[in-house]
Amino acid sequence: MPLISYSEQLFKPCLLSIFNMPSLNNKGQVAKTEPQKALPPYKAPIPNWLLISFVSIVVVILVIVYIQSKVPPAIKPIPNGPTIVPTMKPAVSATPIPSEIPLATIVPIEYSNCGPLAKSISLKNDLKTKSSCFTVLKEGLTIDCNGFKIEGVGTQNSTAIYSEFPKTTIKNCLISNFEIGIRIRNSDDNIIDGNTFSNNIGGALLEVSKKNSITNNNFFNHSQVALFLGEVTNSKVDNNFFDNGNKYGLQLVTSNDNELSKNQIYRFNFGLQLTKSRGNAISSNNVSFNSAGIKLVDRSSGNKFTSNYISSNKQMGIHVLDYSEGNIFERNTIVLNEYGANIRDSNNVFFNNNYACGNTIEDVECSYAVLNATGNICFLRATTCGFDCVQKCPK
């Protein structure tokens, strides 16, 4: 073989691979080459410590989830309400097991919650005390009992509510068994409304006061006086109910220019009595079944009685005496009393257009008095009053 041919065969494949040239076969043609297969990507093996850590974390998470599923959710407290403590889940039983926490109940509080008041209050339960209960310490307070009781035990010098501050409002209270139910002194513009007083010595006492409103109250079984006004002026006593007492239903002493209307006063020794009281307007009241219905004493002058019903009082329907002058009685119905009207020692009493019939002894009687009478329907058995009835009573 020639030297050149041998060298060519020896070095030709190396040169072609260096210069990326295709190899030729013996005929000078490009020799076919088999494509080389690609190697798979390199994967590093997972270390054992990493695999163990991963499995441990998964197990811990599963345990936490299981524990949380067995714990009941926390109960959030209601704003401004009691905190509810979750209790253990009771075992299943045919008989329901009551909760150990009792339901809230309203229990009457005895001998507590009474005391000085510097703010308005609204009762939520009954109160009971061995002495006095509330003392008002500030102007303009309201005591609303909401129909609950303030009850004493009948001790002396006990008062359910006491005030010397103006604009005190007391309403919706049931007050019983005190020496005095409500006492108001040296203060004005007070309101006593919708209360019930029972079995006290004195129901409500107002002294040295003006511009008060006493309305829609009930007074039962008072041994001394149901409602007392002493030096009270320019006040209104309206639509109250008085029943049963040993002495006075409604008593005014040195009390002037008040309005008393639409009250019912039954079964007292003296239903309505005025002492040293002037200029009061008394209208549309029912004063019946007392020993004496309406009584004016000790110079109670200048009062006006209009459209009152005065019936079935055991002695006098109207009794005027002790120089109680200048009083006016108009359009009153005075029936079935022992004496309809008995007027003594008093002059210039005006008795006009009244119906005075069916009284047992006398419809109208007067002695040592000057009576100006016109337009009355009555029946006079005596003529001492010096007037004639414009019309006789029906038989």
Side-chain angles (χ1 to χ4, degrees), residues 34 78 248 306 343 376:
E34 293 294 330
I78 301 172
Y248 302 97
T306 307
I343 301 169
N376 298 287

Side-chain angles (χ1 to χ4, degrees), residues 73-359:
I75 300 176
K76 296 182 179 180
I78 301 172
N80 300 324
T83 301
I84 301 175
V85 181
T87 58
M88 295 298 293
K89 184 177 180 181
V92 178
S93 173
T95 303
I97 301 175
S99 172
E100 295 180 357
I101 303 176
L103 297 175
T105 57
I106 298 176
V107 179
I109 299 176
E110 295 187 355
Y111 311 123
S112 63
N113 280 10
C114 291
L117 292 180
K119 63 179 181 179
S120 297
I121 64 168
S122 180
L123 287 191
K124 302 299 182 184
N125 50 260
D126 295 337
L127 298 177
K128 189 173 183 180
T129 177
K130 291 181 179 179
S131 57
S132 296
C133 192
F134 294 123
T135 300
V136 175
L137 300 180
K138 188 177 179 181
E139 176 181 344
L141 297 191
T142 295
I143 300 172
D144 186 352
C145 294
N146 287 313
F148 289 105
K149 298 177 184 178
I150 304 176
E151 185 178 359
V153 293
T155 56
Q156 292 184 349
N157 302 318
S158 63
T159 303
I161 302 172
Y162 179 82
S163 176
E164 290 188 359
F165 287 85
K167 298 181 181 179
T168 297
T169 297
I170 304 168
K171 60 182 181 179
N172 305 320
C173 297
L174 304 178
I175 298 174
S176 62
N177 295 319
F178 289 90
E179 182 177 33
I180 300 172
I182 292 175
R183 188 174 188 181
I184 294 177
R185 300 181 70 247
N186 301 313
S187 64
D188 305 330
D189 299 295
N190 304 289
I191 297 173
I192 301 174
D193 180 74
N195 304 285
T196 296
F197 303 82
S198 62
N199 300 302
N200 306 288
I201 295 175
L205 278 67
L206 283 78
E207 303 164 287
V208 194
S209 181
K210 62 184 178 182
K211 296 182 180 179
N212 304 289
S213 177
I214 306 164
T215 56
N216 307 309
N217 301 284
N218 298 311
F219 298 84
F220 301 107
N221 305 325
H222 290 85
S223 58
Q224 183 66 34
V225 57
L227 176 59
F228 175 85
L229 305 182
E231 297 186 53
V232 172
T233 60
N234 300 109
S235 296
K236 179 174 68 173
V237 181
D238 181 70
N239 199 38
N240 300 283
F241 184 85
F242 302 81
D243 185 29
N244 195 33
N246 293 340
K247 291 189 178 179
Y248 302 97
L250 174 53
Q251 183 182 21
L252 280 67
V253 177
T254 322
S255 294
N256 306 326
D257 304 312
N258 301 290
E259 296 181 9
L260 284 62
S261 63
K262 301 177 184 177
N263 301 288
Q264 301 179 64
I265 308 173
Y266 305 138
R267 300 194 299 169
F268 292 88
N269 195 9
F270 304 98
L272 168 61
Q273 177 164 311
L274 278 64
T275 303
K276 296 182 180 179
S277 298
R278 299 171 176 267
N280 298 286
I282 297 97
S283 63
S284 302
N285 301 281
N286 187 335
V287 186
S288 302
F289 307 106
N290 306 281
S291 293
I294 297 174
K295 188 174 183 179
L296 283 72
V297 298
D298 204 358
R299 300 180 186 273
S300 292
S301 302
N303 303 286
K304 187 173 183 179
F305 297 81
T306 307
S307 301
N308 299 285
Y309 184 81
I310 306 160
S311 173
S312 304
N313 296 286
K314 294 178 182 179
Q315 298 174 8
M316 287 81 170
I318 297 172
H319 197 191
V320 181
L321 65 160
D322 296 338
Y323 304 101
S324 297
E325 301 181 347
N327 292 289
I328 300 172
F329 295 88
E330 290 184 347
R331 300 190 303 279
N332 299 284
T333 299
I334 311 163
V335 295
L336 305 177
N337 308 281
E338 187 175 54
Y339 288 89
N342 187 305
I343 301 169
R344 301 178 56 191
D345 304 324
S346 301
N347 296 325
N348 300 315
V349 175
F350 295 87
F351 195 83
N352 303 320
N353 304 308
N354 299 285
Y355 182 93
C357 293
N359 298 285

